[in-house]
Amino acid sequence: MKTSYLCPRCRIVLNPHQEIIMLMSRGESRHLVLFSPRIGDYKVQTPSDVSFKEGEAVEFMCPSCHAGFRSPVADDIAEILLRQEDGTFLRVGFSRTYGKQATFLISRKEVKGFGEDAAAYREMNWFGEGGLWEGEQV
Ligand SMILES: [Zn+2]
């Protein structure tokens, strides 16, 4: 099975080809934005008439069911699921602050941080109450 990123709620595949497709919103305006599937690659492709500012807080949402991806464990983190080749799941957390480079791979046993801003989250409790999505088996 190919590695895929999924919406934690409706489980639709967010990267049908390569890039991850998410809705990114600021206030009432929503845009489809492409993200690299490579962990630690922060390249973002926005529509040509849309730009986000460094440091701006944005919401990430599922393009299908419109669920917000805000993490249950931290307000400034968004989370999606990564289905690995063996069919098991990891949580993928990333900063909701545009331009901030912090990504996390979260399994039952450990959290791995990527990106130059990841160290700031070292003390975070990824496994606390509400740390898993409803009905999720990771
Ligand atoms: Zn969804």
Side-chain angles (χ1 to χ4, degrees):
M1 193 185 291
K2 184 177 162 272
T3 296
S4 300
Y5 292 89
L6 308 181
C7 168
R9 192 167 90 180
C10 73
R11 304 285 168 115
I12 199 168
V13 173
L14 298 169
N15 62 326
H17 182 54
Q18 289 187 358
E19 276 88 8
I20 302 166
I21 306 167
M22 288 188 273
L23 273 175
M24 228 164 116
S25 75
R26 161 178 55 199
E28 291 299 302
S29 66
R30 293 177 180 178
H31 309 282
L32 281 169
V33 178
L34 296 177
F35 300 85
S36 170
R38 277 191 296 137
I39 301 281
D41 178 356
Y42 295 93
K43 214 182 313 150
V44 178
Q45 297 175 61
T46 61
S48 58
D49 58 341
V50 174
S51 62
F52 291 89
K53 289 192 209 76
E54 296 278 315
E56 183 176 3
V58 294
E59 294 288 344
F60 294 92
M61 297 159 67
C62 174
S64 179
C65 75
H66 294 177
F69 289 156
R70 222 181 256 218
S71 167
V73 295
D75 226 27
D76 61 336
I77 296 285
E79 280 190 31
I80 57 176
L81 291 177
L82 174 62
R83 187 177 60 205
Q84 303 182 98
E85 281 179 33
D86 63 2
T88 60
F89 289 89
L90 296 175
R91 291 155 61 197
V92 181
F94 47 95
S95 174
R96 292 202 305 111
T97 304
Y98 193 79
K100 210 173 198 183
Q101 302 194 345
T103 310
F104 305 91
L105 279 181
I106 308 146
S107 70
R108 269 194 195 288
K109 293 188 211 111
E110 60 175 354
V111 177
K112 285 185 197 153
F114 301 86
E116 59 187 29
D117 300 310
Y121 296 88
R122 203 175 331 184
E123 302 301 321
M124 204 163 104
N125 179 11
W126 293 93
F127 307 102
E129 202 175 324
L132 292 180
W133 293 83
E134 201 178 326
E136 183 187 354
Q137 309 268 318
V138 186

